[in-house]
Amino acid sequence: EAGVAQSPRYKIIEKRQSVAFWCNPISGHATLYWYQQILGQGPKLLIQFQNNGVVDDSQLPKDRFSAERLKGVDSTLKIQPAKLEDSAVYLCASSLVGRSEKLFFGSGTQLSVL
Amino acid sequence: GNSVTQMEGPVTLSEEAFLTINCTYTATGYPSLFWYVQYPGEGLQLLLKATKADDKGSNKGFEATYRKETTSFHLEKGSVQVSDSAVYFCALSDRHNDMRFGAGTRLTVKP
């Protein structure tokens, strides 16, 4: 079974530039998550989708971050414009629908903002 | 809102030592509780979970018991191995399965 796919694996940009990350979840997983993991910290939930609807985006900095999940499958997370403090690993995860379903994580995209 | 607090690391133990990593939570309602592990160079993966009070999750010799009265979910292992060296994350989710993670505890086991 294929896992959660993310790209790119690494990205280096200058502050004020824009960047986009792509995620393809495990087939059949209706729930998709984007997390931000700053070095030395735990993953912080940015946004959770169920199919193509948003379940929770309370911690998404909406002035600069946006995410979409068209057709309830792939998802894109965008940052525009990027700030130095956005340097982090961006993790995508997916799960089946349910109260206590485990999350399957991708390898992440490591973003460095210079 | 829901949150998890876990003991700060790093934790360094000798092989065969007893391990405890403390985790407490704040939540409205009745969350499910999880421990995830991140081995060096790998992604996060589920270690164990418990979905209601007094449940015990277990896997690979690790155990954790859901204690509602103390809002805790401490991770334990009786005899750690070098291969257990990793970062351990406590997490909780509510009915929408919006998983919230603690800061992580780095464990290093020395031979």
Side-chain angles (χ1 to χ4, degrees), chain B residues 18-86:
Chain B
F18 183 85
L19 168 71
T20 300
I21 300 177
N22 290 339
C23 171
T24 57
Y25 68 89
T26 301
T28 54
Y30 304 96
S32 296
L33 301 174
F34 305 79
W35 279 98
Y36 280 79
V37 59
Q38 189 168 30
Y39 297 103
E42 299 184 18
L44 277 155
Q45 56 187 280
L46 178 69
L47 179 60
L48 55 84
K49 72 177 184 181
T51 59
K52 61 183 187 298
D54 300 324
D55 266 3
K56 178 186 284 187
S58 61
N59 186 24
K60 299 182 180 180
F62 291 89
E63 293 182 341
T65 302
Y66 189 144
R67 301 286 188 202
K68 190 170 184 297
E69 64 275 13
T70 55
T71 61
S72 65
F73 193 56
H74 305 321
L75 182 67
E76 297 182 337
K77 186 173 185 181
S79 176
V80 294
Q81 306 300 312
V82 172
S83 57
D84 295 326
S85 297

Side-chain angles (χ1 to χ4, degrees), chain A residues 5-6 8 17 30 39 41 43 48 59 74 83 89 92 100 111:
Chain A
Q6 288 188 250
Q17 286 186 323
L39 187 64
Q41 299 181 17
Q48 177 187 356
Q59 298 190 99
D74 293 8
K83 294 185 175 181
V89 176
C92 180
S100 306
L111 174 67

